Amino acid sequence: MEEVHPTRSELLARKNQLALAEQGRGLLKEKLDVLLKEFMDVMDRAVSASERLRAASSRSGRALNTAKAVDGTVAVRSAAMAAKGDTSVEMEGGYVMGVPIPEIAPKKVTRSPVTRGYSPIGVSGRIDETAYLFEEQLEAIIEVAAVETKLKRLGAEIQRTRRRVNALDYVVLPRLDKQIRYIRMTLEERSREDLFRLKKVKKALEAKKKQA
Amino acid sequence: MPTFYAYTNSRIRTMRSELLSSTLLDQLMEAKDVMSAVSLLQSSDYRADIEEGLLHHSGIDGVEDGLRRNLSRSLRKVRIVALGDAKILVDLLLGVWDVQNLKTVMRGRRVGATTKEIMDDMIPAATLDEDDLEQLASQPDVRGVVDMLATLGNPYAAPLTDAVSEYHRNQDLAPMEIALDRFYNEYALRRSSSVPDSRDVRMVRGILKQRIDMTNITTLLKLTEARVDFVADLYLEGGKEVSIERLAQLHELGDVGEIISALRDTSYGAILEEEREAFKATGRIHHLERALESEVFRAASRLFIANPLSIAITIGYLWSKHNEVVNLRVIMRGLHAGLDKHDIKEDLLVA
């Protein structure tokens, strides 16, 4: 145990520290509850987003297979070169219980056959459909990335908060409690010694008085 | 003229005899896997090309590369055996491959693909041979491709030169590609008119015009489904049965089902009608497009029984060969994906 001065002022200070730690633990537990609730909400969204991604991926895979079979890989690769482009996503910062959580705005990536960078005249409907379904898949990937980023941040914060609550519950609060008990016991012991000493003095004074 | 056809068609008939039988196609569909199917092709015209393809790529990609090489080689052979006016007409029909190759070269240059990557996606079957295409593919940029095309004295240089400035403004290849598509169809019709009029010329013009109709109808169906406003530039002039004005009216209907109904008075109506339910069930334009493509191939196979001293036999072979390669690709991809015979058959253009 760290060195504790068993004085009344120290007892007061430790009591204040204990009250503060208990208040902090309460607040952290409240924070943990809110974060957990948010985490569960985001988790539901993450599950449905990944289901959407799985479905989109299966649809696009099937369409790609048809396009490769009927139009040939050569035609598919050629159209893919024309349609190649960059996609940027917009990120904003939000807060949940003071925790910074990045918000990735949903992005519309799907394009019409006339804005894909190739002439719609010479590209088959199968290739157009494949391109559309892969664009849809990219939208689903962005959605999954958005919720998973949020989930990761919330998860990390929940762990951090839980560690703090545990530290208060199992280290700080028991230690303060122990220190308070120690100071209190020491002070009581000291007061008993004083009383005993006073009684002894009183007895000695009374014996002296009798002799006199 | 018939003298040319006597020679050309006897050569084409020999080539036709190398086309795969429907029995072999059935056996291929029942094969255990892609490599078992390839072994069934050992005694066919595809053997050497598939072996070559498998030297460059592995598995299904190698097989598909072999099919690409075979198609390219077979179509080039037709160009070699075609003589006189027949050669001009064959070149006009095969011009779609030039257009496709040019688009691929420009697309490749736009994204900085290597010459080899671009050449892997070429089907040199028409006026631009492998050397021309390699020269084009090795240019540093899109402008260089257009300039090289002009140096080669190719007619496609003109529309691309006009459109390249727009590409430089927004780096979008679509206007150049649209210019190329429109030019090819106008040029093919114009050039075919310069050949002395005959039943063969009329047949080729008929096919070119029918192809324009089918391309326009497919574009219309795609763009209607995607809710894109009508833009006349995205459609080709010179169709056989459906004019651009008619396409604009059809687009006003705003619904694929209604367009199919409205096309009832054309020869395409019945073909599309047959696939209406499949489209309704899946919402995929692919069913309608495939029906139109199938009809072209079916009509081509009927040409083999037309006049033996006409271009019909040559056209019949060109389309049948293309159909065969598509069918083989569908079978190989189907086997690769683990599909059963029934599913593979559904995707075959002409079973």
Side-chain angles (χ1 to χ4, degrees):
Chain A
M1 191 193 295
E2 72 183 89
E3 203 184 327
V4 181
H5 301 293
T7 60
R8 290 207 169 272
S9 63
E10 193 70 22
L11 179 67
L12 220 61
R14 297 291 155 157
K15 274 185 174 173
N16 283 340
Q17 275 178 12
L18 181 72
L20 193 68
E22 277 174 342
Q23 196 187 5
R25 184 188 56 179
L27 284 171
L28 283 175
K29 278 202 166 164
E30 268 175 39
K31 180 181 175 182
L32 196 60
D33 289 344
V34 174
L35 287 176
L36 277 170
K37 191 180 170 304
E38 183 73 19
F39 185 84
M40 295 317 282
D41 289 348
V42 179
M43 179 72 117
D44 288 343
R45 277 168 52 204
V47 169
S48 53
S50 68
E51 269 165 17
R52 269 195 296 278
L53 175 59
R54 212 178 359 259
S57 158
S58 147
R59 278 197 304 272
S60 57
R62 248 195 331 265
L64 178 64
N65 208 29
T66 308
K68 273 181 161 181
V70 183
D71 298 295
T73 307
V74 162
V76 175
R77 268 202 307 248
S78 175
M81 284 197 279
K84 195 173 176 180
D86 298 325
T87 298
S88 54
V89 288
E90 277 175 31
M91 279 178 81
E92 278 177 15
Y95 288 90
V96 174
M97 290 298 284
V99 182
I101 304 284
E103 292 278 355
I104 301 174
K107 174 95 181 172
K108 189 170 163 50
V109 181
T110 50
R111 296 174 283 184
S112 85
V114 290
T115 54
R116 220 164 257 141
Y118 52 63
S119 155
I121 303 171
V123 171
S124 79
R126 287 173 291 267
I127 293 179
D128 263 330
E129 186 192 24
T130 307
Y132 179 81
L133 291 173
F134 270 95
E135 287 162 358
E136 239 183 21
Q137 190 180 334
L138 186 55
E139 283 182 1
I141 288 171
I142 293 172
E143 194 191 351
V144 167
V147 287
E148 281 195 352
T149 311
K150 208 168 174 180
L151 213 56
K152 241 183 225 171
R153 280 287 172 92
L154 283 169
E157 190 58 28
I158 286 170
Q159 264 188 328
R160 200 161 36 237
T161 310
R162 183 163 283 151
R163 267 202 303 273
R164 283 182 185 162
V165 171
N166 285 346
L168 285 171
D169 272 344
Y170 300 110
V171 180
V172 179
L173 288 173
R175 191 181 62 212
L176 285 171
D177 212 37
K178 211 169 163 186
Q179 287 171 348
I180 287 167
R181 265 189 286 126
Y182 167 74
I183 296 171
R184 200 175 273 151
M185 270 167 56
T186 313
L187 288 176
E188 279 171 5
E189 184 65 26
R190 204 175 284 160
S191 127
R192 272 195 298 275
E193 276 175 16
D194 285 349
L195 191 66
F196 181 76
R197 205 177 301 116
L198 280 174
K199 276 184 180 171
K200 274 270 195 192
V201 169
K202 195 180 170 187
K203 248 186 201 170
L205 284 173
E206 276 172 0
K208 213 175 180 181
K209 215 177 186 178
K210 266 186 195 171
Q211 279 173 359
Chain B
M1 178 80 78
T3 334
F4 296 151
Y5 287 114
Y7 167 75
T8 305
N9 289 348
S10 68
R11 296 288 305 272
I12 298 285
R13 276 179 199 285
T14 314
M15 289 164 73
R16 187 200 168 192
S17 68
E18 287 166 357
L19 291 176
L20 305 180
S21 66
S22 55
T23 321
L24 182 57
L25 284 177
D26 271 341
Q27 285 173 350
L28 288 168
M29 277 184 274
E30 283 162 4
K32 195 165 82 257
D33 52 31
V34 175
M35 285 306 146
S36 312
V38 168
S39 62
L40 287 170
L41 291 173
Q42 281 305 302
S43 55
S44 76
D45 180 44
Y46 290 95
R47 188 183 57 83
D49 295 305
I50 292 180
E51 279 173 4
E52 178 79 18
L54 286 169
L55 283 178
H56 293 87
H57 306 272
S58 61
I60 180 74
D61 294 331
V63 176
E64 200 181 327
D65 190 51
L67 296 177
R68 173 185 73 89
R69 287 167 192 274
N70 184 275
L71 177 66
S72 171
R73 190 169 57 79
S74 305
L75 299 184
R76 275 202 314 268
K77 208 162 152 189
V78 175
R79 286 194 71 229
I80 293 166
V81 299
L83 302 170
D85 290 345
K87 191 176 174 68
I88 299 173
L89 297 176
V90 166
D91 276 352
L92 294 180
L93 289 172
L94 291 179
V96 280
W97 297 106
D98 277 341
V99 171
Q100 172 63 27
N101 289 337
L102 281 176
K103 282 182 185 174
T104 305
V105 170
M106 292 193 297
R107 290 165 182 178
R109 283 283 57 94
R110 177 181 163 266
V111 296
T114 63
T115 306
K116 191 193 171 296
E117 282 169 339
I118 297 173
M119 288 310 290
D120 273 351
D121 290 342
M122 293 286 122
I123 301 184
T127 56
L128 292 166
D129 62 22
E130 210 157 343
D131 291 338
D132 294 337
L133 291 169
E134 196 153 2
Q135 261 188 304
L136 291 167
S138 56
Q139 293 307 306
D141 51 24
V142 173
R143 172 94 241 179
V145 174
V146 177
D147 290 344
M148 176 52 73
L149 209 54
T151 311
L152 292 171
N154 192 287
Y156 299 117
L160 293 177
T161 307
D162 292 343
V164 77
S165 53
E166 200 176 335
Y167 166 75
H168 281 299
R169 267 200 301 279
N170 51 22
Q171 298 295 301
D172 183 9
L173 278 176
M176 289 183 82
E177 293 194 5
I178 292 168
L180 196 58
D181 283 320
R182 291 175 68 83
F183 175 82
Y184 161 68
N185 287 287
E186 285 159 18
Y187 173 77
L189 286 175
R190 200 173 60 238
R191 183 85 177 90
S192 65
S193 306
S194 68
V195 178
D197 190 34
S198 66
R199 202 173 41 192
D200 297 319
V201 173
R202 284 194 294 277
M203 186 185 288
V204 170
R205 285 178 64 79
I207 286 172
L208 289 169
K209 282 172 163 284
Q210 187 193 41
R211 199 153 65 181
I212 289 173
D213 272 347
M214 289 191 174
T215 306
N216 280 342
I217 290 171
T218 308
T219 307
L220 176 71
L221 295 173
K222 276 194 312 192
L223 300 189
T224 303
E225 189 65 0
R227 308 258 167 254
V228 175
D229 289 341
F230 186 82
V231 180
D233 276 353
L234 297 178
Y235 296 89
L236 306 169
E237 299 271 5
K240 195 175 185 178
E241 294 180 63
V242 192
S243 66
I244 292 195
E245 292 71 33
R246 178 85 194 274
L247 290 164
Q249 286 165 5
L250 291 168
H251 187 270
E252 298 264 297
L253 297 171
D255 177 71
V256 171
E258 286 188 40
I259 292 174
I260 295 173
S261 305
L263 281 167
R264 240 174 233 152
D265 60 336
T266 68
S267 58
Y268 314 107
I271 304 165
L272 295 171
E273 196 61 52
E274 274 181 32
E275 291 297 322
R276 182 195 284 271
E277 287 309 311
F279 168 71
K280 247 165 108 177
T282 62
R284 296 179 72 190
I285 295 290
H286 158 64
H287 298 287
L288 304 170
E289 193 174 18
R290 196 190 56 179
L292 291 172
E293 288 162 347
S294 296
E295 185 49 33
V296 174
F297 290 127
R298 221 168 275 137
S301 62
R302 288 195 293 267
L303 289 176
F304 283 124
I305 49 168
N307 181 0
L309 291 180
S310 76
I311 198 165
I313 309 289
T314 310
I315 296 172
Y317 176 78
L318 290 176
W319 264 240
S320 299
K321 181 69 196 179
H322 185 199
N323 179 45
E324 182 178 276
V325 169
V326 173
N327 282 346
L328 281 175
R329 213 161 45 209
V330 170
I331 291 171
M332 296 299 179
R333 286 267 163 207
L335 292 173
H336 181 67
L339 299 182
D340 62 21
K341 187 180 174 181
H342 172 74
D343 289 338
I344 295 175
K345 213 159 190 172
E346 278 219 326
D347 277 333
L348 292 183
L349 291 184
V350 184

